[in-house]
Amino acid sequence: MTKKILAFALAALMAFALVGCDNAAEGEVLTMGTNAAFPPYEFVGENNEVAGIDAEIAAAVAEKMGMKLEIKDMAFDSLITAVSTGAVDVVLAGMTVTEERKESVNFSDSYATGIQVVIVTEDSAIASLDDLAGKKIGVQTGTTGDIYCSGDYGEDAVARYDNGALAVAALQNGQVDCVVIDNEPAKAFVEANEGLKLLDTEYAVEDYAAAIAKENTDLLDKFNAALAELKEEGKIDEIIAKYIKA
Ligand code: GLN
């Protein structure tokens, strides 16, 4: 009798545990960190929700993994810490793969290319990268644009802003002579603001990828597998084409 009850209780417990597991897997949340001031990769869209290429790619990857995506908006230079401490599971932020960042996080396979370009005012005397010497350069704190410019032109040459929009505002106010930033946000900022243009020059060509905590290799593998399927299905190209007209 006691044995029977025990067996029944155990069976019930196991069934409950299984159901519990199943539900957890289905409803599991993938949290993505980003800085939603980087159009068309991420920006605050309708209903105050983060939209853009990275948000859509992450949602498609999450769906393939049977997870639900949740996005946390934060400063760009907090993202590496946020993902490596587990505050978020993954970062998609038009983030360039660099050797230095690889010391803190793992990167997924790349899903897009970025190019560092220079925004100037329409009447600017700056025509090439050589003309940047001795000029004030606006950058976003902690980005590759910041790292290259402070390395190539010196710390004093660089004025750091929390995001691209603030750097562009500083250019319009005459506080800086140019802004170094990724090409797609650069195009978006030039389109949205009067009196600005892009220099026809490529400062650096880079790979964008998702950043994941070093110890979270399971997620890295799953993310890469889902990403590969989405590339194969043409879904990644489709998402990019929706935001970037060729
Ligand atoms: N691609 C640049 C970097 O990774 C800028 C990214 C961004 O500002 N969101 O540093």
Side-chain angles (χ1 to χ4, degrees):
M1 179 72 169
T2 338
K3 252 191 189 167
K4 250 190 193 163
I5 291 176
L6 204 67
F8 179 79
L10 258 175
L13 203 71
M14 279 167 76
F16 185 74
L18 275 176
V19 168
C21 275
D22 212 14
N23 280 347
E26 265 175 35
E28 227 180 300
V29 170
L30 180 74
T31 51
M32 159 185 151
T34 199
N35 174 235
F38 198 72
Y41 289 93
E42 40 269 331
F43 52 91
V44 178
E46 279 167 34
N47 307 324
N48 250 3
E49 281 190 32
V50 178
I53 294 170
D54 286 336
E56 289 205 27
I57 289 178
V61 166
E63 197 189 337
K64 282 239 181 251
M65 299 191 302
M67 296 171 90
K68 211 176 116 247
L69 184 70
E70 218 171 85
I71 300 179
K72 289 187 185 172
D73 188 13
M74 58 187 83
F76 183 82
D77 66 339
S78 314
L79 289 168
I80 293 281
T81 308
V83 73
S84 50
T85 57
V88 296
D89 300 316
V90 62
V91 164
L92 277 84
M95 184 174 273
T96 304
V97 178
T98 71
E99 289 309 314
E100 203 197 332
R101 289 173 184 162
K102 274 193 201 167
E103 286 172 18
S104 318
V105 294
N106 282 330
F107 281 102
S108 72
D109 295 329
S110 179
Y111 60 84
T113 302
I115 303 169
Q116 294 299 311
V117 297
V118 185
I119 310 177
V120 294
T121 52
E122 256 161 13
D123 56 358
S124 177
I126 299 172
S128 73
L129 287 172
D130 292 338
D131 300 333
L132 293 194
K135 295 292 191 303
K136 202 78 182 169
I137 308 168
V139 297
Q140 312 173 86
T141 309
T143 59
T144 49
D146 178 2
I147 297 160
Y148 301 144
C149 290
S150 37
D152 291 348
Y153 302 99
E155 277 291 320
D156 291 345
V158 162
R160 298 190 168 94
Y161 298 90
D162 277 348
N163 59 54
L166 289 173
V168 167
L171 174 61
Q172 289 182 303
N173 293 338
Q175 290 165 303
V176 296
D177 301 303
C178 63
V179 169
V180 171
I181 190 168
D182 305 50
N183 57 330
E184 289 303 333
K187 280 196 243 163
F189 287 128
V190 167
E191 253 169 51
N193 295 279
E194 290 282 302
L196 301 179
K197 66 176 184 187
L198 285 182
L199 289 191
D200 185 18
T201 178
E202 298 185 351
Y203 194 165
V205 179
E206 317 179 307
D207 290 324
Y208 290 168
I212 293 172
K214 284 249 186 228
E215 57 276 16
N216 208 350
T217 51
D218 186 49
L219 179 62
L220 181 68
D221 292 344
K222 284 185 187 151
F223 190 100
N224 277 334
L227 185 64
E229 278 181 34
L230 290 164
K231 282 183 184 174
E232 182 77 27
E233 294 162 8
K235 184 70 185 165
I236 300 296
D237 286 344
E238 189 184 297
I239 292 170
I240 292 173
K242 182 172 154 190
Y243 291 94
I244 300 174
K245 304 289 166 231

